[in-house]
Amino acid sequence: MSARKPVLEIRGLRTQFFLREGIVTALDGIDLTIYENESVGIVGETGCGKSMTAYSILRLVPHPGRITAGSIKYKGIELTTLDLDRMRSVRGTEISMIFQDASTALDPVFTVGSQLDEVISLHQGIYEKVALEKKVVEALELVRIAAPKEVMEMYPHELSGGMKQRVMIALALSCSPSMLIADEPTTALDVTIQGQILKLLKALVAKTGSSMMLITHNLGIVAETCDRICVMYAGRIVEDAETFELFEHPRHPYTAGLLTAFPKLGEKKDELSVIKGTVPDLMNPFKGCPFVDRCGKAMDVCSKHRPSRVEISRGHYVSCHLWSGGEPSDG
Amino acid sequence: MRLRKALNDKLLAWKMAGGVRQTLAGILERGGRNPMVVIGFTMIVIIISIALLAPVLPIADPTQQNLEPGQQLLSPSSENWFGTDENGRDVFSRVIWGARVSLTVAMVAVVVSMMIGIVLGLTAGYFGGKVDYIISGTIDLFWTFPPFLLALAFAAALGAGLMNVILAISISYWAGFARLMRGQALSMRERQFVEASRALGARHWRLMFTHVLPNCIAPLIVWASIGVADAITIESSLSFLGVGTKPPTPSWGWMLSSGILYLGNAPWISTFPGVTMVATILGFNLLGDGLRDVLDPRMKGLRR
């Protein structure tokens, strides 16, 4: 385990939005390490900063947002201070991203082939027609599109939703990045196609040896696809553990709440359990734990001090006073 | 490295053209089913082809005066289809040669103002912020004046002549294109395919010209079509007022104005160029309005 090389190391990442009404802290001290050949799932509710983490890594935080603190190291290169030209060559070649809705992420006026051409020629410097076509066909075959030569000539509107997502994955993988960020890649698809796409993603990651960061709000998806899961809440990672460990021993009350809220097959319930309350306003900086108002086990210290991140067992990190103050860590 | 960059640039231009071509193909395909587009397009094609063929058509020299007694102000006949004017020149031939001037001025002016508009509007809309603030301010400054008044002022300052008229119209007409382009770019840059392309490492100018611009081309075409009609009106009005093209170059506006004196006994001198002008403008307006209907997303379902 310790021999694994980290691909991406995020330390204390803070991204803030400077609005007229005040400062919104979208990400507040994210610590995350993704190792080689590892799939990490980022789970959390809408607005907790999952996508913002991805945008911050690629340095594509939309205006008026800015990374204000922390470091993002990709294979030892500091991304937060990298000059724009080199950052551009990182995007696509080193770190690639798949978007939620492929039907809006593909340019409607270009054929599939010419969109792939663009990325390949941009990053690999191949301009010759025959060589380009070969590369495009390879990329499409990789995502198991049966008739790549025909699909190449098609416009996005001629393809089905699943096919479009495959093309999007082909685009993202065409320059064999070491790190793939998938931002809710299956949300816009129906369940059957979801399964296919996830299987494909998993197989591709294994085949190309790249790491994957899968962003979703669906615990079922991460359980199937990822080696490790990070649970995010209000711009922080509250729990980070191996998939099996997290599902068996959720330590943070929020994670535990999420897991009980998730209905299981064969279980009879009249009412689904919910976590009461709403997400705190990110405009007001909070001193303590962001989950305190909704937490059933809140103590006095929770609203006063911010919980630190502790490793309670090997590779299982939690940010909660229940574990840092109450019980000693056994890792 | 430099060679590769040059190649890359070439590829970019080619791609941009490809995107534009695709949009145009779509417009043509859907436009073919709209009667307004078909009629307008046919009218324009007929007028343009006659204008283009003017040098080879068996018509009189439009500048050839015939000062022999009894050759002036002749009413339309089999010899002079549209009659002759006060200098004995064939009105029919002058209307056709005048079309060349009017159409050239209008189309070149529209293309020039469209290019200015695209570059400025795209820059403003894509980058936003301070750049947008400055460019938008300039656009609004020009937008405050009716294009005709502005063109009149410029034409008066520059003096008569073909190039000056084109310049005057371009300067006064680009603001509309820029405004349109800015609005389009503003909404396009937020679209996910632009974001996706950025996430895959594309540069600003690549995003602007290969992803934003081709997706904005449709409304520009509509605006350009109606713009040509506007420009013909402006050009004729300028010539009518004597600040447009210089005589003896045949121009519709100038013919209209010189025919006024003889409106009582030789109405054909003004009428025929006037009718032709109306037909041309109608053609471009029909095409523009038809295309607007065709490209309106709400109409898509109905027309298909």
Side-chain angles (χ1 to χ4, degrees):
Chain A
M1 291 287 276
S2 54
R4 290 190 309 174
K5 266 199 269 172
V7 176
L8 194 74
E9 286 175 284
I10 304 176
R11 290 287 166 268
L13 176 67
R14 183 186 294 161
T15 300
Q16 290 175 310
F17 283 79
F18 297 87
L19 307 175
R20 204 162 292 164
E21 300 84 28
I23 299 168
V24 173
T25 308
L27 297 180
D28 193 3
I30 298 285
D31 292 305
L32 174 66
T33 307
I34 296 177
Y35 294 94
E36 252 179 6
N37 218 341
E38 186 188 40
S39 304
V40 176
I42 310 275
V43 199
E45 53 197 286
T46 307
C48 71
K50 294 169 298 188
S51 300
M52 212 36 72
T53 312
Y55 287 128
S56 299
I57 294 169
L58 284 170
R59 291 251 308 271
L60 288 171
V61 180
H63 187 80
R66 222 169 50 223
I67 297 171
T68 47
S71 91
I72 302 170
K73 277 208 171 101
Y74 170 79
K75 291 185 175 167
I77 306 163
E78 179 60 51
L79 294 185
T80 50
T81 52
L82 199 65
D83 70 272
L84 268 177
D85 249 9
R86 287 184 59 199
M87 191 63 222
R88 255 194 299 268
S89 61
V90 168
R91 295 174 194 153
T93 26
E94 301 291 344
I95 307 176
S96 235
M97 186 156 170
I98 299 171
F99 287 81
Q100 187 178 79
D101 189 356
S103 54
T104 58
L106 294 172
D107 192 329
V109 301
F110 291 108
T111 58
V112 166
S114 91
Q115 300 196 39
L116 276 160
D117 275 358
E118 187 177 358
V119 178
I120 295 170
S121 57
L122 182 65
H123 289 305
Q124 303 187 6
I126 299 171
Y127 299 104
E128 203 220 333
K129 221 179 160 193
V130 184
L132 257 182
E133 196 183 300
K134 199 171 145 249
K135 278 270 177 191
V136 170
V137 170
E138 269 172 24
L140 290 174
E141 273 169 351
L142 189 71
V143 293
R144 294 182 203 150
I145 284 175
K149 290 237 158 112
E150 281 155 45
V151 172
M152 246 174 77
E153 302 299 323
M154 288 185 179
Y155 289 94
H157 70 268
E158 297 174 283
L159 300 170
S160 69
M163 285 289 262
K164 270 183 256 190
Q165 195 55 276
R166 279 168 199 263
V167 171
M168 193 70 225
I169 296 172
L171 265 176
L173 290 180
S174 59
C175 295
S176 22
S178 322
M179 171 89 208
L180 181 68
I181 301 173
D183 188 358
E184 310 210 17
T186 58
T187 313
L189 305 172
D190 67 66
V191 187
T192 343
I193 309 297
Q194 270 189 21
Q196 287 179 15
I197 294 289
L198 286 174
K199 233 185 238 168
L200 176 70
L201 268 179
K202 206 173 165 181
L204 286 178
V205 169
K207 188 174 166 187
T208 56
S210 59
S211 313
M212 177 165 73
M213 181 171 145
L214 181 71
I215 298 171
T216 176
H217 50 248
N218 188 335
L219 277 169
I221 285 177
V222 278
E224 255 178 75
T225 323
C226 300
D227 308 322
R228 198 151 57 83
I229 298 177
C230 294
V231 180
M232 280 189 77
Y233 186 79
R236 297 171 189 187
I237 291 178
V238 291
E239 187 158 6
D240 174 350
E242 307 264 311
T243 305
F244 189 72
E245 165 79 6
L246 189 97
F247 274 81
E248 282 300 299
H249 309 289
R251 299 302 192 195
H252 196 283
Y254 179 63
T255 316
L258 276 186
L259 289 174
T260 31
F262 200 66
K264 288 175 193 67
L265 198 65
E267 187 184 35
K268 274 202 176 164
K269 248 184 188 182
D270 288 333
E271 218 175 294
L272 295 173
S273 51
V274 293
I275 304 176
K276 289 206 167 54
T278 50
V279 192
D281 186 1
L282 296 176
M283 193 96 90
N284 309 319
F286 20 76
K287 267 202 283 183
C289 170
F291 191 59
V292 63
D293 295 333
R294 302 171 74 182
C295 185
K297 296 172 183 163
M299 304 176 290
D300 280 350
V301 63
C302 293
S303 53
K304 284 178 194 142
H305 297 288
R306 185 177 169 163
S308 52
R309 183 171 179 257
V310 287
E311 186 170 19
I312 52 172
S313 62
R314 198 183 176 80
H316 191 156
Y317 299 89
V318 178
S319 302
C320 178
H321 285 300
L322 284 175
W323 301 93
S324 55
E327 290 177 33
S329 62
D330 52 336
Chain B
M1 199 59 202
R2 179 166 290 172
L3 182 74
R4 181 182 289 177
K5 212 164 165 173
L7 271 168
N8 201 4
D9 289 354
K10 209 171 124 196
L11 199 81
L12 179 90
W14 189 81
K15 268 190 81 80
M16 183 176 87
V20 172
R21 201 171 50 226
Q22 150 69 4
T23 324
L24 289 181
I27 293 172
L28 278 184
E29 197 195 322
R30 274 189 279 148
R33 275 169 267 163
N34 180 303
M36 282 213 282
V37 175
V38 174
I39 295 171
F41 188 71
T42 317
M43 287 170 76
I44 295 167
V45 167
I46 291 172
I47 293 165
I48 291 181
S49 13
I50 293 177
L52 281 177
L53 290 174
V56 293
L57 288 178
I59 49 174
D61 181 347
T63 54
Q64 180 63 55
Q65 301 190 349
N66 191 341
L67 298 174
E68 278 174 46
Q71 289 300 313
Q72 295 88 28
L73 305 178
L74 287 176
S75 60
S77 63
S78 58
E79 192 126 335
N80 304 105
W81 290 2
F82 288 0
T84 59
D85 69 2
E86 75 278 12
N87 289 323
R89 293 174 294 197
D90 183 34
V91 175
F92 181 62
S93 150
R94 284 180 69 76
V95 166
I96 291 174
W97 282 88
R100 286 170 75 91
V101 176
S102 290
L103 288 173
T104 313
V105 170
M107 286 171 158
V108 173
V110 164
V111 167
V112 171
S113 51
M114 184 154 90
M115 289 198 305
I116 303 173
I118 284 176
V119 170
L120 289 179
L122 190 58
T123 314
Y126 180 82
F127 288 107
K130 276 197 193 107
V131 179
D132 183 26
Y133 191 76
I134 294 167
I135 295 178
S136 289
T138 318
I139 293 172
D140 287 343
L141 191 69
F142 276 81
W143 191 250
T144 331
F145 300 99
F148 174 65
L149 279 185
L150 209 57
L152 184 63
F154 278 112
L158 293 166
L162 203 65
M163 286 310 291
N164 289 348
V165 174
I166 292 176
L167 202 64
I169 298 177
S170 308
I171 294 173
S172 47
Y173 210 75
W174 67 270
F177 283 106
R179 242 174 115 93
L180 183 70
M181 187 67 222
R182 173 184 171 268
Q184 290 286 316
L186 212 55
S187 78
M188 271 312 151
R189 70 158 185 196
E190 302 295 332
R191 296 284 284 273
Q192 215 175 27
F193 59 82
V194 176
E195 185 85 336
S197 195
R198 189 176 294 142
L200 291 173
R203 281 158 197 280
H204 285 314
W205 49 267
R206 177 180 289 275
L207 291 171
M208 280 165 74
F209 286 100
T210 68
H211 293 295
V212 176
L213 180 58
N215 276 291
C216 301
I217 215 78
L220 285 173
I221 303 269
V222 174
W223 193 266
S225 174
I226 294 172
V228 173
D230 274 356
I232 290 173
T233 321
I234 297 175
E235 187 272 328
S236 301
S237 310
L238 292 177
S239 299
F240 186 90
L241 295 173
V243 288
T245 46
K246 271 182 288 194
T249 315
S251 144
W252 293 342
W254 179 251
M255 289 167 79
L256 278 176
S257 129
S258 63
I260 287 181
L261 289 172
Y262 309 96
L263 212 54
N265 44 5
W268 51 85
I269 302 180
S270 288
T271 314
F272 285 112
V275 168
T276 321
M277 202 171 97
V278 168
T280 314
I281 293 171
L282 182 69
F284 278 105
N285 274 328
L286 276 176
L287 180 71
D289 282 353
L291 285 178
R292 191 181 53 205
D293 287 353
V294 166
L295 299 171
D296 187 342
R298 278 166 303 179
M299 307 286 273
K300 249 183 196 170
L302 297 172
R303 301 277 170 188
R304 271 188 180 216

